[in-house]
Amino acid sequence: MGLIGAIIIGILAGFLANKIMGRSGGLLWNLFLGVIGGFAGGFLFDLLNITWGGTIGQLGTAVVGAVVVLWIASKLKK
């Protein structure tokens, strides 16, 4: 997957994570959240020895990671 595909996956992952957590964000925020979520999800899945391949797997991993990042951020704000 090229750079354009990674950007699209990041935007979609950030958008879905925001919707799951009941938040809203702009295009750049969704992209940032999706990229950070991709790293966080990959790290978590490596710890748990979970593999999930393909484009859907990349999107799912990024969404899970982004939801975890949003959850941690909401706990730190309180």
Side-chain angles (χ1 to χ4, degrees), residues 47-68:
L47 283 177
L48 299 172
N49 201 22
I50 297 172
T51 57
W52 197 4
T55 304
I56 298 298
Q58 290 174 344
L59 178 62
T61 300
V63 169
V64 168
V67 167
V68 169

Side-chain angles (χ1 to χ4, degrees), residues 16-43:
L16 291 172
N18 275 323
K19 293 302 173 190
I20 290 169
M21 296 299 288
R23 296 179 175 211
S24 63
L27 185 66
L28 289 177
W29 172 248
N30 287 340
L31 174 60
F32 174 74
L33 183 59
V35 169
I36 297 300
F39 285 115
F43 177 75

